[in-house]
Structures are given as structure tokens and as C-alpha cells.
Amino acid sequence: MSGLQAGIVMAIAAVAAGSLFEVRPPDAYGICMACHGRDLTNWVVNDVTGWRLTVAPASMVFPLLTVVGVLIGAWIAAVISGEFRFRKPSKPVQNFLYGVLVMNFGLLAAGCSTRLALRVGAGDPLGVIGFGAMVGGIVLATFWIRRQALR
Amino acid sequence: MTVAAVASLIVGITIGFVGQRSRMCFVGGIRDWILVRDTFLLKGLIAFILVAWVAFPLAPLVGGEALGGFGTPIVSAVVLTALGGFGVGWVSILANGCPFRQHVLAAQGTGGSMVYLAGFFTGAVMFHTWVSPFVLELI
């Protein structure tokens, strides 16, 4: 399957989830790995500890399960295609910190890279700003890693 | 509300499957284009935005809810969104994939991405316990 086809399928799934199947409010919330992951984590933490961490209105009663779904779907695809193979993490501390940082930046922007793109499609001015800034970050970081690699 | 949970699970399985077969990544497209002029993933990103842009107005025609409309953003929100967006882009490149791609990699056995996800979910609790109150204090 090509990237182009994946983009089309994912966009239709995202819009359908948000507009037809109550994955809202907020608007354009169909797919977001950061926000839905936050909703699931915080919902479980709230349930276990009785805290009151923020959860999006769409996840108030029962959390969105996008994260679980993606893991299941990708695992099925990997097993069918014979691509499932455990690889030991080479830099676990670094990877952990990247995860922490991306989640924090993502929640600050109210969306991971996927939802920022979705908000651009929805015409949200803040989404366009966030997406533009993200493209800036990607471009600079790419030149940075290339410089590091060539040195 | 349970409809949303079930729908998000099905959507998740669908996009997870598709994402594994296509190696789809929302930051990788721009990176690959800059480094080697490869447009495989970039086409996916552009198609995602264009299809969403067309599909949002179409959804009400088949019984879906229309978008509520977006007001003019306030300055502090613009600054925070720009900072957050920049950070997501920068760190995702260092981490070698957007959050979606990391979930897919973790599901196909990549240990580094599993550790990334552990940090990811820890980060959610950290954000709402410390970072968010701190940011609200600032603005």
C-alpha cells in the first residue's frame, strides 16, 4: 500500500469518526495520537487514583481507544506480513525522553502531527499556525541531523 | 459516548493496519523529501490534508455533524500552539517518526518505540500535573 492511499484512508476515517461517530467535541478530533493517548492515560489514572486530570469531553464517560486500536491493527498487519520482530531498544533513555517531550509539545499545541494536519483540513486557524510551526521544526531538525551525519 | 469509544477502536484498528502496510508517517514525508527527494510519504501527508478538507463539508450531507466554526485565536494560544507545533516537529524528527508511526513500530516489535510510548504516556500525566498549571500561571 502506498503512502498516498494510506493518507486518503486515514483522512476519511478521521473525518468519519469526528463527524459521524461522536468523537467530539472538540472539532476535528477524529485521530490524534497525543490527545487520545492523554485521554486514555488520564482516564485510567483518574479511575484508579481518584485524581482529576484533564480529559477531553469526548472521553468523559469512557475513554477513546484509538491508541489501543492502532496497536492492535498494526500488530495484526505485522504478523500477517511476517514483519513482526522484537528489536531491543538501543537508546532507551533517549527514546523515553523523546516520548515525554513529544507528548508535552503535542498537548501544548493541542494535537500531534496527525491532528495538526487534520485541523488544517478543517480550516482551524490555530491548526494552520501549529502545522506551519511543525513544518518549520521538521525542516530545521532535518538539516540539523544531516549536518550531524556529515560531520 | 460509548459510541465514540467503539468507533475510535475500529478507526484505530483500521489506521493501524493501513499505517503498518504503508509505513505512513506525518513528519517523515517532509524529512524524506529534504534528504533524498522521495515523495512516497509526502504524498500521503498532502492527500490526508486535502481529503480531510473535502470530507469535512461533505460529512453533514450524509447525516454527520458540521464543524462548529473556529473563532479568531487569542495571542497566547497562537504563541503556545506555535511553540508546541515546532517542538512536535523537531523532536519527532530526532525520535525518527511521528507519534502515529511510533505506535505502529511498537506494535511490530521495535523496542525503542515501546520505550518511547512509555515516555509518551508518562508525559501526558506530567503535562497535566506540572506543565499545564505552570503555563497557565505564566499567561
Side-chain angles (χ1 to χ4, degrees), chain A residues 12-31 118, chain B residues 7 11 56 59 64-67:
Chain A
I12 292 170
V15 174
S19 297
L20 299 172
F21 298 109
E22 300 180 14
V23 186
R24 72 205 310 261
D27 272 326
Y29 202 59
I31 300 176
L118 190 62
Chain B
V11 164
F56 271 119
E65 295 228 24
L67 292 171

Side-chain angles (χ1 to χ4, degrees), chain B residues 46-107:
Chain B
I46 294 170
F48 181 83
I49 295 174
L50 288 180
V51 172
W53 180 62
V54 173
F56 271 119
L58 289 180
L61 300 180
V62 291
E65 295 228 24
L67 292 171
F70 304 97
T72 315
I74 52 170
V75 177
S76 59
V78 170
V79 173
L80 292 178
T81 306
L83 176 68
F86 186 87
V88 169
W90 183 284
V91 184
S92 291
I93 289 297
L94 297 184
N96 209 12
C98 74
F100 173 69
R101 180 73 182 138
Q102 298 287 350
H103 281 73
V104 172
L105 285 173

Side-chain angles (χ1 to χ4, degrees), chain A residues 88-98, chain B residues 112 115:
Chain A
K88 263 180 80 171
S90 50
K91 292 171 180 165
V93 177
Q94 214 171 329
N95 282 318
F96 187 86
L97 287 178
Y98 287 154
Chain B
V115 181

